[in-house]
Amino acid sequence: MDNKIKETEKLFKKACQLFNNKNYKEAKENYELVSKNCTELEKSNINLINYGFDKPLCLAQIARCYLMEKDIENAIAYFQNSINLRPMADTISDLVNIYYLELKDFNNVLKYSKIYMESPHIQIKDEYYENIIKTLKHIARTFDNKEIQ
């Protein structure tokens, strides 16, 4: 099991390096391999986040690769899958930004903002919180949206 974790950790670092070097296609491929390994390792009740990676994080990174490639549809799908497994502040914030900036889909902005605010896994009052609040205030002012206000 330790070898599988080390192998997966190495793959994750490689994927991150590829992402940082803007090689999104290969980064996605490596994140996919890490994600598959995570599924296998998590069956043994190993808390992979202690090693710096897990399946939700890999899915979020795959979403970011798609986002950088301007493939909004796949980016949304991967962000949603990641959030369904474990809501993370940066992932929700990225998804809110897509719905707001790219699609002007205010219903989903509100939906994911609520998920953010109600998630017990998220530390409120961080930079992502401020971004979401700023987005919601802008929508409320611009469109006189009573639900957001």
Side-chain angles (χ1 to χ4, degrees):
M1 194 62 63
D2 283 342
N3 285 341
K4 189 70 163 180
I5 293 171
K6 287 179 184 176
E7 172 191 324
T8 305
E9 189 174 30
K10 187 176 176 181
L11 270 172
F12 183 77
K13 287 178 181 177
K14 180 181 178 185
C16 291
Q17 187 175 37
L18 288 164
F19 181 88
N20 290 335
N21 291 331
K22 300 180 188 303
N23 188 341
Y24 303 118
K25 183 177 186 284
E26 283 188 53
K28 277 188 302 197
E29 292 168 1
N30 280 268
Y31 285 126
E32 287 284 1
L33 291 172
V34 174
S35 178
K36 287 177 185 164
N37 286 355
C38 287
T39 299
E40 188 178 313
L41 289 165
E42 287 168 351
K43 289 177 185 174
S44 301
N45 291 323
I46 297 171
N47 188 358
L48 294 174
I49 200 65
N50 294 333
Y51 295 92
F53 61 89
D54 66 354
K55 187 170 183 137
L57 182 57
C58 288
L59 294 175
Q61 287 302 108
I62 293 167
R64 290 183 182 97
C65 289
Y66 279 118
L67 186 58
M68 298 307 288
E69 295 173 332
K70 306 293 185 208
D71 184 343
I72 302 300
E73 187 175 318
N74 277 314
I76 289 171
Y78 274 88
F79 276 133
Q80 289 172 335
N81 287 335
S82 174
I83 291 166
N84 288 339
L85 291 174
R86 180 170 54 88
M88 296 176 283
D90 59 337
T91 306
I92 296 172
S93 181
D94 286 346
L95 190 55
V96 166
N97 284 336
I98 291 171
Y99 280 124
Y100 179 60
L101 299 173
E102 300 289 334
L103 302 176
K104 305 296 185 224
D105 180 344
F106 305 127
N107 289 328
N108 274 313
V109 167
L110 186 57
K111 174 185 173 181
Y112 285 97
S113 295
K114 283 181 180 179
I115 289 171
Y116 182 98
M117 302 299 177
E118 295 170 358
S119 176
H121 305 288
I122 295 176
Q123 181 75 25
I124 299 291
K125 303 290 185 185
D126 60 10
E127 66 194 84
Y128 305 110
Y129 172 84
E130 296 301 327
N131 180 57
I132 288 174
I133 293 300
K134 185 173 143 184
T135 300
L136 291 172
K137 284 181 179 179
H138 183 262
I139 292 170
R141 279 191 315 270
T142 305
F143 301 99
D144 196 31
N145 188 310
K146 300 296 182 208
E147 184 178 2
I148 294 173
Q149 291 175 353

